[in-house]
Amino acid sequence: MATPFPPGERLPDRVHVTEVGPRDGLQNEPVVLATADKLALVHSLVEAGVREFELTSFVSPRAVPALADAAELVAAVRDVPGVHVSALVPNLRGAERALAAGVDAVVLFVSASESHNAKNVNRRIEASLAGFEAIARHLEGSGIELRGAIATSFGCPFEGEVPVAAVGRIARRFADLGARYVSLGDTTGMATPPLVAERIRHLREAVPEIVPTLHFHNTRGIGLVNVMQGLRLGVDRYESAIGGLGGCPFAPGASGNIASEDLIYLLDEMEIATGIALDGLIEAARLATRLMGRELPAQVSKAGPRLATHDATCTLTAKG
Ligand code: ZN
């Protein structure tokens, strides 16, 4: 059992971490990586012990040029032993492409606020949900898992507060479509610990058959605080991006997803197992930094592990 912290609380012994850097991260980066570079990054992450990837998105290549190589990338990664590959699909055409490419899971996504859904996929929420029914029917018997993702689950950059009931209603629809895992996306970093508690408690009550996954962005600097709150509530599934890749088109200069190495550092120190090695992730983050050609927002890959010691003869002194 993981060390109780705060005293008396039981945290999960083990958590599942899905790496979303190749999808959520790269989708929001100005630099478009070659498929071979993406593959090198994935291999580096696999080397560190990462087994679950949200690898890409089968959206129109015109809409998101950075992910135009979706089929090629999935085909290359699916042969890596033990790796689980999921991909976002916006519509039936995307689902057909994902199926043909050989994904393990498709992730259907919709926003919990009308304005964000309109901006993202140019559809009413209800129209998105109705479209999912056809995709679910298409996937029936294929053996491909269906997952759900709810963007703007903790707030909307256009509408402000998002009612918890709006998140619950969409989660219910995902459950009815047969999804077991539903991810709550903190698309623009508006989550706070009270909102995390409210949403998780509501889902457990209203849609007990789903297993929630938490997907935080560090836009306002409290991504890992929100993870801590999730752990206290017993949530054992999280999504993160190596290096803290990504950003947000609606919050200029904002940092991206919570960084995988910062997350694993926290979980290691809490004695929560993940199967992922921090030093390996730091290697992968260095590669990501080289490939992107810019400093990435993650912190542990810069500072090193807590007990990484320095040469005492170093002439620099810290004052304060
Ligand atoms: Zn995201």
Side-chain angles (χ1 to χ4, degrees), residues 112 125-126 129 150 163-176 202-203 206-207:
I125 292 172
E126 191 47 48
L129 294 170
I150 309 175
V164 65
V167 177
R169 270 195 303 275
I170 295 171
R172 160 53 52 207
R173 297 285 288 274
F174 276 134
D176 292 346
H202 176 73
L203 287 185
V207 202

Side-chain angles (χ1 to χ4, degrees), residues 23-24 215 217 257:
R23 197 284 299 172
D24 202 356
H215 173 116
H217 284 239
N257 290 90

